[in-house]
């Protein structure tokens, strides 16, 4: 298996926690937004 990731970003727990609502549950609209971004190749391009 060959690794394809050239760089790694490390986030602290509070930084990751700030990405989601305090309830930990996304609304259907938020899920749709995440899906719309994640399905595009350009969102996953290496910097």
């Amino acid at each position: 298996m060959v690794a394809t990731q050239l760089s790694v970003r490390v986030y602290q727990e509070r930084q990751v926690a700030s990405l989601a609502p305090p309830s930990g549950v996304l609304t259907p609209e938020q899920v749709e937004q995440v899906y719309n971004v994640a399905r595009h190749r350009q969102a996953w391009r290496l910097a």
Side-chain angles (χ1 to χ4, degrees):
M1 179 180 211
V2 177
T4 59
Q5 183 71 27
L6 299 177
S7 64
V8 175
R9 292 184 182 171
V10 177
Y11 292 95
Q12 295 178 356
E13 183 178 351
R14 69 173 186 255
Q15 292 171 307
V16 174
S18 69
L19 298 175
S23 68
V25 178
L26 298 175
T27 66
E29 293 80 16
Q30 290 170 316
V31 171
E32 186 68 24
Q33 288 177 328
V34 170
Y35 172 76
N36 285 333
V37 171
R39 69 189 181 117
H40 291 287
R41 275 184 200 230
Q42 293 174 343
W44 301 103
R45 293 183 76 174
L46 297 174

